[in-house]
């Protein structure tokens, strides 16, 4: 197929109008390498890393080309060929992909150090003093992206076993993630609460593993397989009704362990069951029957940004909107180009800051055009990246995960219920009121 229907949906092609920056152009390059007509070169590797991996081309493709798989294999090919090897790059990759994200205790340790730096006020002091302007441009950009670290990580907020509210209907596992755990542990807590409200007993072990999407998307398929096996060992899929992810990017990868472990005779069948049990939180709530919150939540206008790997990767587009619309007092305003990538794309904003910045500016313009006070999105990468843009431009916007809005609505409902019961009792005792 060379129809090119994917071209207008591709953010990199849209920016450059060059065929080689389009899905069709990239697939031609991949095919030339696979057929032995082209050697893996730095230009080929650069092209594979210029791609966001947003998967908008997969939604557009009428022939169902599995670009996600091609993209992962192509980056692995680029890494194996060694054409991008350089001491600084090798060291950064070793430090992050091979060391930090292979044991999340290390990541939590780094998160604690950043939290201390932020809580002691050193970050705001340095930012206000202007000292950071002395740093090279690249380091200034990276510093501006430093995420706000949560006061407590997931293990301190969620017990290993959360009982269901009322009758137990399901037993589910909750994946707390890697970056999600240190930047958005509050979203994990909200997810556990919402699941319990739906009759789920929630199993959340305090020590968990990275899903491996960072590794798979950066050409380290061997490490991605190792992490997949660790996750399957920790959460045997036959012991749960569902394994829940609340991070669109992670969920998209987690649902394809069977592809990743297709050649593993020990894990292949377990991985197939794992894929069947893996559910995004929005998908799961709608599947089991969303419990609409009662009245009490304040009025708010919300717009919804679709994380690429939730919409294009997992095809979950209706469920988050359904959840938002079920919240009393919430008016959902459709975001123009809702599923156009914001530029976060895993670590794309770190390795391709210029293109990521252009896409972020475009996303913020679209958000502002809605005049909504709140932006909801279901992926930690988007939350962190859009937060950087909101902070930089000092915009009066609240940025949240849809599940946080749902959890807040349930909390308001409880408060409202308590208030109503109090007033009822008062009316009973003092009929004059
Ligand atoms: S994944 Fe996104 S950036 Fe990459 S080719 Fe497809 S549409 Fe373009």
């Amino acid at each position: 197929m060379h129809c090119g229907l994917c071209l207008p949906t591709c953010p990199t092609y849209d920016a450059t109008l060059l065929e080689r920056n389009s899905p069709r152009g990239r697939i031609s390059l991949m095919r030339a390498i696979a057929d032995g007509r082209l050697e893996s070169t730095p230009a080929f590797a650069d092209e594979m890393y210029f791609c966001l991996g947003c998967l908008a081309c997969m939604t557009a493709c009428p022939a169902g080309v599995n670009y996600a798989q091609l993209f992962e294999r192509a980056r692995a090919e680029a890494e194996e060929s060694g054409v991008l090897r350089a001491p600084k790059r090798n060291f950064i990759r070793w430090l992050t992909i091979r060391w930090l994200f292979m044991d999340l205790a290390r990541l939590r340790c780094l998160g604690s150090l950043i939290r201390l730096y932020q809580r002691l006020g050193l970050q705001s002091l340095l930012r206000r003093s202007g000292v950071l302007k002395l740093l090279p441009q690249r380091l200034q950009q990276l510093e501006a992206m430093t995420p706000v670290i949560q006061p407590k990580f997931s293990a301190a907020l969620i017990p290993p076993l959360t009982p269901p509210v009322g009758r137990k209907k399901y037993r589910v596992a909750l994946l707390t993630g890697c970056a999600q755990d240190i930047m958005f542990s509050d979203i994990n807590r909200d997810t556990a609460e919402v699941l319990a409200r739906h009759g789920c007993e929630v199993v959340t072990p305090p020590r968990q593993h990275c899903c491996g999407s960072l590794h798979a998307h950066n050409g380290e398929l061997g490490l991605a397989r190792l992490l997949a096996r660790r996750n399957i060992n920790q959460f045997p899929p036959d012991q749960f009704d569902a394994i829940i992810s609340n991070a669109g990017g992670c969920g998209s990868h987690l649902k394809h362990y069977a592809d990743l472990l297709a050649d593993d005779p020990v894990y292949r069948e377990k991985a197939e069951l794992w894929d069947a049990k893996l559910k995004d939180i929005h998908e799961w709530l709608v599947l089991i029957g969303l419990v609409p919150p009662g009245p009490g939540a304040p009025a708010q206008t919300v717009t919804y940004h679709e994380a690429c790997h939730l919409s294009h990767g997992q095809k979950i587009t209706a469920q988050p909107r359904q959840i938002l619309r079920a919240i009393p007092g919430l008016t959902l305003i459709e975001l123009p180009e809702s599923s156009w990538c914001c530029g976060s794309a895993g670590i794309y904003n770190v390795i391709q800051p210029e293109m990521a910045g252009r896409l972020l500016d475009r996303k913020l313009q679209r958000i502002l055009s809605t005049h909504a006070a709140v932006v909801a999105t279901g992926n930690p990468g988007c939350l962190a990246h859009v937060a950087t843009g909101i902070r930089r431009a000092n915009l009066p916007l609240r940025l949240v995960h849809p599940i946080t809005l749902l959890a807040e609505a349930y909390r308001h409902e409880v408060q409202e219920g308590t208030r109503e019961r109090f007033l009822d009792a008062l009316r009973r005792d003092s009929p004059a009121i």
Side-chain angles (χ1 to χ4, degrees):
M1 289 287 284
H2 301 283
C3 66
L5 283 176
C6 52
L7 267 60
T9 69
C10 173
T12 54
Y13 177 75
D14 178 76
T16 66
L17 297 181
L18 295 173
E19 176 75 12
R20 70 159 196 272
N21 299 147
S22 76
R24 190 172 61 185
R26 290 186 178 115
I27 290 172
S28 294
L29 280 173
M30 293 174 199
R31 167 158 284 181
I33 300 244
D35 291 348
R37 286 181 284 116
L38 195 71
E39 287 287 302
S40 191
T41 61
F44 167 74
D46 284 344
E47 191 50 60
M48 295 308 126
Y49 277 99
F50 189 51
C51 172
L52 291 143
C54 67
L55 310 184
C57 45
M58 282 184 68
T59 299
C61 181
V65 170
N66 189 346
Y67 185 86
Q69 207 175 50
L70 293 172
F71 162 76
E72 278 182 6
R73 301 295 191 274
R75 281 198 178 175
E77 166 70 32
E79 291 306 326
E80 278 158 26
S81 70
V83 290
L84 289 179
R85 267 186 212 142
K88 191 170 141 203
R89 185 177 188 274
N90 294 351
F91 175 70
I92 293 172
R93 280 178 67 86
W94 172 82
L95 187 68
T96 52
I97 300 175
R98 296 190 152 261
W99 191 75
L100 207 52
F101 283 85
M102 288 307 289
D103 181 346
L104 295 185
R106 295 168 190 156
L107 189 68
R108 278 193 296 274
C109 199
L110 175 67
S112 302
L113 289 175
I114 301 176
R115 179 169 60 195
L116 195 65
Y117 164 70
Q118 291 173 340
R119 298 223 129 193
L120 291 177
L122 292 174
Q123 185 178 50
S124 38
L125 189 72
L126 286 179
R127 283 182 177 173
R128 268 187 280 117
S129 70
V131 172
L132 297 173
K133 294 208 175 76
L134 301 175
L135 292 174
Q137 177 84 9
R138 189 76 192 92
L139 283 181
Q140 286 186 43
Q141 284 170 341
L142 286 175
E143 196 285 330
M145 285 181 206
T146 314
V148 177
I149 303 298
Q150 288 281 309
K152 288 180 178 170
F153 302 150
S154 304
L157 297 176
I158 311 169
L161 194 73
T162 307
V165 175
R167 187 172 65 84
K168 175 177 159 184
K169 297 182 199 155
Y170 307 98
R171 184 170 193 264
V172 304
L174 174 59
L175 304 179
T176 49
C178 49
Q180 173 90 355
D181 182 27
I182 61 170
M183 296 194 296
F184 303 110
S185 49
D186 52 342
I187 298 173
N188 286 337
R189 180 208 52 214
D190 295 341
T191 306
E193 272 182 34
V194 164
L195 284 166
R197 185 72 166 71
H198 284 78
C200 299
E201 178 185 71
V202 189
V203 178
T204 318
R207 301 256 172 278
Q208 300 197 16
H209 305 286
C210 173
C211 69
S213 68
L214 175 75
H215 307 79
H217 295 164
N218 287 280
E220 296 286 353
L221 290 175
L223 294 179
R225 289 189 186 101
L226 181 63
L227 288 166
R229 290 188 198 102
R230 282 185 191 168
N231 273 310
I232 292 174
N233 289 344
Q234 183 167 33
F235 299 104
D238 56 348
Q239 293 181 14
F240 298 98
D241 293 302
I243 300 162
I244 305 292
S245 165
N246 57 13
C250 304
S252 179
H253 174 74
L254 284 157
K255 283 181 174 176
H256 293 102
Y257 275 2
D259 279 347
L260 204 57
L261 299 173
D263 296 330
D264 185 327
V266 179
Y267 280 85
R268 193 177 46 227
E269 276 184 25
K270 291 184 205 170
E272 281 166 9
L273 187 58
W274 168 281
D275 287 3
K277 295 279 177 84
L278 206 295
K279 300 285 178 226
D280 172 76
I281 180 67
H282 307 92
E283 177 186 23
W284 175 246
L285 294 181
V286 170
L287 191 70
I288 61 175
L290 178 68
V291 178
Q300 53 189 333
T301 49
V302 178
T303 194
Y304 175 63
H305 159 60
E306 301 195 62
C308 298
H309 281 241
L310 196 57
S311 61
H312 304 305
Q314 299 186 56
K315 309 293 180 225
I316 293 174
T317 56
Q319 298 93 324
R321 290 179 169 87
Q322 206 171 322
I323 289 171
L324 290 171
R325 286 202 180 96
I327 297 174
L330 189 153
T331 307
L332 182 63
I333 305 171
E334 272 303 325
L335 176 66
E337 298 182 353
S338 178
S339 63
W340 193 262
C341 183
C342 67
S344 163
I347 54 166
Y348 191 87
N349 52 351
V350 177
I351 58 176
Q352 301 280 356
E354 202 205 319
M355 175 59 74
R358 282 168 73 162
L359 290 170
L360 177 58
D361 289 344
R362 180 172 176 155
K363 183 59 67 181
L364 289 174
Q365 277 172 17
R366 300 297 179 272
I367 290 170
L368 288 175
S369 77
T370 65
H371 301 288
V374 181
V375 189
T377 189
N379 184 48
C382 307
L383 285 165
H385 188 54
V386 176
T388 303
I390 290 177
R391 204 167 46 233
R392 203 166 44 209
N394 203 14
L395 300 174
L397 282 168
R398 184 182 178 210
L399 186 63
V400 285
H401 194 291
I403 295 305
T404 293
L405 292 175
L406 183 62
E408 286 175 354
Y410 289 133
R411 285 179 211 133
H412 281 295
E413 172 197 75
V414 171
Q415 284 166 9
E416 180 76 3
T418 312
R419 201 173 69 91
E420 281 306 310
R421 277 196 297 280
F422 173 72
L423 286 176
D424 282 350
L426 215 57
R427 283 188 201 108
R428 255 197 326 271
D429 296 344
S430 318
I433 294 176

